[in-house]
Amino acid sequence: MTLPADFHAQIRLAGREDEPRPGMVQDTDGPVRRTWSQDPAGFAMVECPAGLGEDPDHWIARQVDFFDGRGQELEWKTYHYDEPADLLERLRAHGFTVEDDEALVPGEVTDLLHPVTAKGVRLRLVDVADDGAFAGIADLHEIVWGRRDGHTQQLREELRRTPGTLDVFVAEATEPMEAEPVEAGSVEAGGHRVEVGQIVCGARVRYSPGTDFCSLWGGTTHPAARRRGIYRALVAQRAQRASERGFPFVRVDCSPDSLPILTRPGPERVATTVPATLTP
């Protein structure tokens, strides 16, 4: 088997896109695999790795009705090879908004074990009892994304309950930082300054026990801490940890910004994933 075929068989067809987490339901509705929070304000994602059969609109409509009835926002995760071939157009017709493309990049963990020096930070593995690290991650998300939700607390609870499926890393500033000017009279992110000890990047690695795969997620970086090699260094740190845990392969869903960083050491883009979202 090729690496993409291994990924499809071990992860997608086996229902391992996401591991069981506290407060999350994993079930199927016909050919649709679903992962959804019991809290309607939380995350919900579906996909159809084996296609939607002879009546795709029937199964799409069932998901719309189910999650609309819960008042829950839904993401339908599509891959460019999913059937039917016009899946995105059908989702649009049912009210979904098609979001930006991402690249599926699988590879060997050893390809990412490259030495990287990140300037002005200390990288560390986060313990579940580390209040400061989790508060710093929540602060960082508010700075970068303009919102503060319950995701960080959910992440912490997951780490507490199932430590074998997740590791969380942070980069902590060891020197003050200031966002560089992006044009005359303007400073990126409104001049946000970083103080010593502040969390400037958070990232995690998820493990799928019983498979050959782990996956890399997160990597949100403070605007004042960019272009310092921090994201690349955290990729290497997570790859090292995955190697120690015995996982030979890694998958990453890459944005255009992170794609060059991930593919430079050797992994290649093998598929395009496109999320389609439905807001109740």
Side-chain angles (χ1 to χ4, degrees):
M1 270 192 178
T2 63
L3 192 54
D6 281 338
F7 168 76
H8 189 73
Q10 291 188 37
I11 301 299
R12 296 199 69 205
L13 290 177
R16 303 297 295 276
E17 273 279 16
D18 213 340
E19 295 302 307
R21 287 184 274 163
M24 300 295 289
V25 176
Q26 291 181 301
D27 63 8
T28 59
D29 182 35
V32 180
R33 292 191 177 275
R34 310 191 299 196
T35 301
W36 47 279
S37 171
Q38 293 173 323
D39 178 358
F43 172 78
M45 187 272 286
V46 304
E47 65 163 347
C48 52
L52 286 178
E54 296 182 357
D55 192 358
D57 290 301
H58 167 75
W59 297 110
I60 295 172
R62 282 181 60 88
Q63 310 321 307
V64 171
D65 290 344
F66 179 79
F67 288 101
D68 186 61
R70 290 179 49 78
Q72 189 165 18
E73 182 173 321
L74 172 64
E75 175 187 321
W76 193 304
K77 185 166 187 174
T78 75
Y79 289 73
H80 75 268
Y81 56 83
D82 285 347
E83 296 291 341
D86 62 350
L87 177 58
L88 287 175
E89 286 70 25
R90 290 176 183 267
L91 291 173
R92 281 195 186 95
H94 283 269
F96 284 79
T97 299
V98 176
E99 308 292 350
D100 294 337
D101 294 6
E102 295 180 340
L104 172 65
V105 180
E108 296 187 19
V109 165
T110 53
D111 287 341
L112 302 178
L113 297 178
H114 47 82
V116 178
T117 300
K119 181 182 176 183
V121 296
R122 177 171 70 99
L123 308 181
R124 59 186 178 89
L125 181 66
V126 175
D127 183 84
V128 71
D130 192 337
D131 294 340
F134 285 102
I137 293 171
D139 291 342
L140 176 64
H141 283 194
E142 185 172 19
I143 290 169
V144 175
W145 303 112
R147 64 178 184 271
R148 193 180 190 93
D149 52 30
H151 174 73
T152 303
Q153 184 57 41
Q154 292 170 6
L155 192 67
R156 188 175 192 176
E157 182 64 14
E158 179 185 357
L159 185 62
R160 185 183 71 82
R161 293 196 186 186
T162 56
T165 65
L166 176 71
D167 279 317
V168 179
F169 288 83
V170 294
E172 181 180 273
T174 58
E175 63 185 38
M177 303 176 189
E178 190 80 46
E180 297 179 2
V182 293
E183 60 183 28
S186 174
V187 176
E188 185 176 8
H192 277 303
R193 179 178 171 83
V194 168
E195 304 298 339
V196 173
Q198 187 172 339
I199 301 300
V200 296
C201 187
R204 58 198 182 276
V205 50
R206 293 190 181 279
Y207 308 103
S208 297
T211 79
D212 295 324
F213 287 87
C214 66
S215 55
L216 304 186
W217 303 94
T220 294
T221 304
H222 193 291
R226 293 171 187 164
R227 294 176 290 278
R228 289 172 170 259
I230 296 171
Y231 180 82
R232 291 180 60 231
L234 280 174
V235 167
Q237 287 273 316
R238 287 176 287 169
Q240 180 63 47
R241 184 71 169 174
S243 178
E244 293 167 357
R245 285 183 176 260
F247 289 86
F249 301 128
V250 61
R251 61 76 66 90
V252 190
D253 292 352
C254 291
S255 69
D257 289 339
S258 57
L259 182 59
I261 298 172
L262 268 299
T263 55
R264 189 180 301 133
E268 298 180 355
R269 177 178 188 156
V270 299
T272 297
T273 71
V274 183
T277 57
L278 184 70
T279 302

